[in-house]
Amino acid sequence: MIDTEARQVFDLPPMAPEVIEHRVQRRRCRCGTLSVASFPP
């Protein structure tokens, strides 16, 4: 009897997380109206 054994090794490159910070502003004008920005999708 002939037997075969196999193994797989996945060599992945090192991964570095990419962090992006989004800031939105709220502004109130002199007339009292509040304007609020929206975050990107």
Side-chain angles (χ1 to χ4, degrees), residues 12-29:
L12 299 175
M15 298 172 60
E18 180 180 344
V19 178
I20 300 172
E21 179 177 312
H22 297 283
R23 295 182 183 193
V24 295
Q25 294 183 347
R26 284 186 224 81
R27 299 282 174 126
R28 187 173 305 275
C29 71

Side-chain angles (χ1 to χ4, degrees), residues 1-38:
M1 181 167 118
I2 299 176
D3 192 21
T4 303
E5 186 176 330
R7 293 182 183 174
Q8 294 180 347
V9 176
F10 294 92
D11 190 12
L12 299 175
M15 298 172 60
E18 180 180 344
V19 178
I20 300 172
E21 179 177 312
H22 297 283
R23 295 182 183 193
V24 295
Q25 294 183 347
R26 284 186 224 81
R27 299 282 174 126
R28 187 173 305 275
C29 71
R30 294 179 193 170
C31 71
T33 301
L34 180 65
S35 296
V36 181
S38 59

